[in-house]
């Protein structure tokens, strides 16, 4: 299978009307986080179906697709990488992980990150040293910072909370709303499994964190407790 075959297949599935809606939804205007991104107009379930069909494509060819100008082709490439990682041996998993980190400039929107970071980066680092996540969390790249935060979802799913909360603290005062949402989301996921641990983290920090981050973090708390946080009465 060649990259050109996937490109042609996705072009045949393009929907210009849906592409126009996607360009608005993903903030592609001048000065927005997705400035200049281009869309074919293909829904995610269809991309997942294509990823299954092209899973046997070589890693080299998948990486060519990851460099596409079209958002959906990059997403499809990432979905293929996830499938390769999950079905591969340790050698292939390491290769996918390394290539992923070498190509973060193409993983440049929140859905691309969220569809791949914890499945590849988080999964690979689950039983390994995690210093790279702290490097990513300190990156000038919005997307690398989000990768660092979302990757910890895999740890959280395995009741490992330390790195998730440490990176959340590093990103506490980030200027980007997409980071506020990612941090709040991961704190919420910790709280879904261990509310006491989440509250231990929130008590000294919640008044300093951006409001969006706090709202995401406490979204699943009982309403009376949520209101106490929102009113600053802890």
């Amino acid at each position: 299978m060649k990259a050109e075959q996937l490109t042609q297949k996705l072009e045949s599935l393009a929907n210009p009307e849906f592409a126009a809606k996607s360009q608005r939804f993903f903030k592609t205007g001048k000065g927005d986080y997705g400035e200049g991104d281009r869309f074919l107009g293909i829904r995610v379930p269809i991309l997942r179906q294509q990823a299954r069909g092209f899973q046997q494509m070589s890693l080299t060819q998948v990486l060519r697709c990851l460099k596409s100008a079209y958002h959906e082709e990059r997403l499809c490439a990432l979905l293929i990488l996830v499938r390769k990682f999950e079905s591969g041996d340790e050698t292939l998993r390491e290769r996918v992980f390394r290539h992923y980190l070498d190509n973060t400039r193409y993983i440049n929107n929140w859905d691309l990150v969220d569809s791949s970071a914890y499945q590849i980066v988080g999964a690979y680092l689950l039983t390994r040293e995690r210093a790279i996540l702290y490097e990513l969390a300190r990156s000038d790249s919005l997307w690398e910072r989000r990768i660092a935060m979302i990757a910890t979802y895999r740890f959280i799913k395995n009741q490992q909370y330390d790195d998730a909360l440490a990176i959340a603290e590093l990103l506490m005062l980030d200027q980007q709303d997409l980071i506020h949402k990612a941090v709040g989301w991961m704190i919420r996921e910790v709280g879904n499994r261990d509310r006491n641990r989440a509250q231990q983290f929130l008590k000294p920090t919640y008044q300093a964190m951006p409001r969006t981050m706090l709202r995401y973090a406490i979204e699943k708390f009982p309403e009376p407790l949520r209101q106490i946080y929102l009113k600053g009465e802890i």
Side-chain angles (χ1 to χ4, degrees), residues 134-169:
Y134 293 84
E135 294 178 26
L136 293 170
R138 295 183 175 95
S139 170
D140 290 336
S141 164
L142 160 63
W143 308 118
E144 289 189 347
R145 299 198 304 277
R146 189 167 174 113
I147 286 169
M149 190 72 260
I150 299 301
T152 69
Y153 192 21
R154 180 53 62 94
F155 311 156
I156 295 169
K157 284 173 173 281
N158 285 269
Q159 291 76 51
Q160 299 177 21
Y161 308 133
D162 290 353
D163 290 294
L165 296 176
I167 290 172
E169 188 167 6

Side-chain angles (χ1 to χ4, degrees), residues 1 7 66 86 126 133 156:
M1 293 181 177
T7 300
L66 183 58
E86 292 177 344
L126 184 60
L133 288 186
I156 295 169

Side-chain angles (χ1 to χ4, degrees), residues 8 11 23 35 37 41 50 54 63 69 75 81 87 98 121 130 132 160 194 197 208-209 213-214 220 225:
Q8 291 170 6
E11 288 176 348
Q23 291 201 199
E35 180 177 353
D37 205 355
Q50 295 306 314
F54 282 85
L63 293 171
L75 177 53
L81 289 179
S87 64
R98 300 297 176 192
V121 179
R130 301 169 182 177
I132 184 62
Q160 299 177 21
D194 187 339
R197 185 68 189 278
M209 65 175 51
M213 187 184 297
L214 176 61
K220 298 297 179 67
L225 179 59

Side-chain angles (χ1 to χ4, degrees), residues 189-205:
E189 292 298 334
V190 172
N192 287 345
R193 294 160 177 83
D194 187 339
R195 187 181 299 158
N196 287 336
R197 185 68 189 278
Q199 288 192 251
Q200 288 170 9
F201 177 80
L202 286 168
K203 187 173 181 179
T205 60

Side-chain angles (χ1 to χ4, degrees), residues 108-134:
N108 57 353
N109 216 310
W110 59 265
D111 63 318
L112 305 182
V113 173
D114 297 359
S115 298
S116 60
Y118 79 87
Q119 299 94 324
I120 294 175
V121 179
Y124 185 79
L125 296 177
L126 184 60
T127 58
R128 294 176 173 85
E129 201 277 329
R130 301 169 182 177
I132 184 62
L133 288 186
Y134 293 84

